[in-house]
Amino acid sequence: ETAGRAPIVSKEVYLDATYELTVPIVSPDPVLLNGKIRGRGQSTWGHPKNPYKIQFKDDAGYAKLADVLGMPKNRNWVLLADYFDRSLQRNKVALSLGSSSVFSDGLKWTPAGQHIEVHLNGDYVGVYLLTEDIRIAPGRLDIWKMSSDPAKNQVDGGYIVEVDFRLDCYNQGDLNLQLVTPWAVPICVDTPDEEAITQAQLAFIKGFIVGVERDIYELDKLDRINLVSFVDWYLLSELFRNVDSAFGSSVFMFKDTEASAKPTDRLLNLGPLWDFDRSAGNVNYVDAWKTGGCWVNTSANPNWLARLSTKPAFADLVVSRWQAKRPALATFINSSIDSYTLRLQEAQKRNFERWPILGMQMSNYYTWTTYDQEVQFLRSFLNERMAWLDLAYASAESFQKLCVDSDY
């Protein structure tokens, strides 16, 4: 509930808020928390069911929390609306897969999320995914957080940047977090943000990104990127045929300090994963409803993955890591969909009573009229997609033919 039940109309200005978090299977008594809330998002913001950014206040109520629905305790969270995804599961399945043993050896950290039902200012607003946000913090992306004091001259990590075609980041006066690389990739410096970054840090990370791009395009050097993270991020994104993942938006990369105990963290890593509501066939453009064909490394966007796909080291790793992961993929995906469908069976009814959008044309190519049909399509898409990728990733030669040279 916002202070005075004020409407949430801004993505920049927080409103004071109070929260009651109830887990009925644990206790009928709610946990009471104070904090703030604002809007967030791009394509979903402004639709009837909005996404939100929430923050808990560090007070006595917060101190009593051991965790947040089984997720590590933190004050900052995101409420994903999944308005366009009427299975309500694409983000949950993708993020759970990223943090599972199938991918966790290549991806340092993937946000966790739990389905919840939300009441806002007395109004039931449906099923949301309460999700960890992407930030440098213990228990999340655990890399070094630099000082914002220019006198300390700390420039050596950690950084988070995002490929974002909107360049939706701070650019005022002498402080410009936007970067369009020589090969036209639009990038925002995400962390440190405009309130913390120094000019030396900004110059360092922009120079590093441009240098990595030059390595990829001109020098045929891959020693400044964690290639395993690039391959694993690509494999999972291609499996879901995620439209945004083709170097459009929500493509995050990070770098830790050179003093990191983990050598691969000192390199540029692809990840964390984010934003899968318009994936797995839930799109009516760029042929994204089709289960055949590669997308993430073939789109017309300025795209590092397209260039990397021409390099034997990347192609060989795509093939070997897909084949190593493949036996666990189908089991994980199908059992996850079973579990989440059972968990959501009653909640989804209330969600679609509040938002009667089943059978409505939005961004979808196929229009299904029931929740069960939406879930079955998600399951069918991912299983058929795995079968097609088995052909594409059977060898470096088939990868070249079907995912690099092909107009499939």
Side-chain angles (χ1 to χ4, degrees):
E1 186 169 293
T2 62
R5 291 197 165 183
I8 303 166
V9 297
S10 172
K11 295 194 297 181
E12 286 77 38
V13 180
Y14 277 101
L15 299 177
D16 289 334
T18 56
Y19 300 91
E20 294 185 4
L21 179 61
T22 307
V23 187
I25 61 171
V26 175
S27 169
D29 300 322
V31 174
L32 304 180
L33 297 165
N34 299 299
K36 298 180 179 181
I37 187 169
R38 62 169 171 83
R40 66 164 304 279
Q42 296 291 350
S43 55
T44 311
W45 176 253
H47 285 271
K49 185 185 180 188
N50 282 316
Y52 301 104
K53 176 75 173 65
I54 67 175
Q55 188 178 85
F56 299 140
K57 186 177 181 180
D58 190 6
D59 59 11
Y62 179 73
K64 295 178 182 178
L65 280 181
D67 57 45
V68 178
L69 300 181
M71 297 179 287
K73 184 175 175 179
N74 197 286
R75 294 175 53 222
N76 295 276
W77 299 86
V78 172
L79 283 171
L80 295 178
D82 285 334
Y83 183 67
F84 294 105
D85 174 16
R86 282 161 282 197
S87 76
L88 302 170
Q89 295 189 37
R90 284 172 171 83
N91 272 311
K92 174 65 171 169
V93 174
L95 296 180
S96 296
L97 182 57
S99 60
S100 74
S101 60
V102 183
F103 281 95
S104 61
D105 63 326
L107 301 175
K108 181 178 177 67
W109 172 78
T110 300
Q114 295 286 5
H115 287 113
I116 64 173
E117 292 185 89
V118 177
H119 298 257
L120 176 61
N121 291 331
D123 178 24
Y124 176 80
V125 291
V127 174
Y128 280 74
L129 192 68
L130 179 68
T131 311
E132 296 178 304
D133 66 351
I134 294 175
R135 62 177 46 240
I136 296 175
R140 294 201 176 168
L141 188 56
D142 194 4
I143 60 178
W144 190 48
K145 189 171 184 177
M146 295 179 293
S147 171
S148 59
D149 183 356
K152 293 187 176 180
N153 196 32
Q154 294 181 355
V155 298
D156 176 29
Y159 295 94
I160 305 173
V161 301
E162 178 191 2
V163 179
D164 178 11
F165 72 90
R166 303 178 184 89
L167 283 175
D168 184 22
C169 51
Y170 192 87
N171 179 11
Q172 295 291 329
D174 293 334
L175 189 61
N176 181 7
L177 302 189
Q178 301 174 356
L179 169 66
V180 178
T181 70
W183 290 86
V185 175
I187 289 178
C188 283
V189 178
D190 178 277
T191 306
D193 64 13
E194 63 273 14
E195 296 181 355
I197 199 164
T198 68
Q199 289 291 350
Q201 291 164 356
L202 185 58
F204 174 88
I205 191 56
K206 285 185 175 182
F208 184 82
I209 293 295
V210 169
V212 167
E213 184 181 70
R214 184 181 300 113
D215 288 350
I216 293 171
Y217 280 84
E218 299 177 16
L219 304 179
D220 198 25
K221 288 175 55 183
L222 303 180
D223 57 347
R224 287 200 282 183
I225 68 172
N226 178 6
L227 193 60
V228 172
S229 77
F230 274 69
V231 167
D232 278 17
W233 187 97
Y234 161 72
L235 288 174
L236 196 151
S237 299
E238 192 70 85
L239 168 60
F240 278 76
R241 197 167 181 150
N242 189 10
V243 172
D244 292 338
S245 295
F247 265 52
S249 65
S250 299
V251 177
F252 289 92
M253 295 182 278
F254 73 87
K255 182 196 182 311
D256 201 357
T257 169
E258 290 293 322
S260 172
K262 189 175 182 181
T264 51
D265 286 356
R266 304 169 195 168
L267 309 174
L268 188 66
N269 283 250
L270 195 48
L273 297 162
W274 191 252
D275 201 3
F276 280 75
D277 59 332
R278 297 199 189 197
S279 72
N282 192 34
V283 177
N284 60 4
Y285 50 93
V286 296
D287 288 346
W289 63 90
K290 296 180 179 179
T291 55
C294 285
W295 159 254
V296 172
N297 67 328
T298 62
S299 80
N301 298 333
N303 189 341
W304 291 1
L305 291 168
R307 180 55 65 96
L308 284 169
S309 294
T310 66
K311 300 183 183 299
F314 183 86
D316 290 345
L317 203 55
V318 164
V319 170
S320 64
R321 289 189 72 78
W322 174 262
Q323 293 178 2
K325 297 172 187 301
R326 182 62 174 88
L329 273 179
T331 299
F332 184 93
I333 286 171
N334 286 288
S335 62
S336 294
I337 292 173
D338 287 342
S339 177
Y340 305 149
T341 301
L342 181 63
R343 193 178 304 171
L344 289 167
Q345 200 51 245
E346 296 304 317
Q348 62 86 12
K349 295 175 185 176
R350 293 185 285 270
N351 181 83
F352 293 116
E353 287 173 4
R354 179 64 178 85
W355 309 112
I357 56 175
L358 291 169
M360 182 185 298
Q361 176 58 235
M362 294 194 293
S363 65
N364 46 302
Y365 181 82
Y366 296 108
T367 302
W368 311 108
T369 58
T370 70
Y371 180 70
D372 288 343
Q373 288 174 322
E374 289 283 353
V375 172
Q376 182 54 42
F377 174 68
L378 171 62
R379 185 193 303 274
S380 297
F381 182 95
L382 290 174
N383 280 285
E384 291 175 19
R385 184 75 173 145
M386 283 186 281
W388 188 87
L389 290 174
D390 286 340
L391 300 176
Y393 301 152
S395 66
E397 292 74 23
S398 60
F399 176 70
Q400 182 74 28
K401 180 179 179 180
L402 294 176
C403 292
V404 181
D405 298 335
S406 175
D407 293 327
Y408 192 101

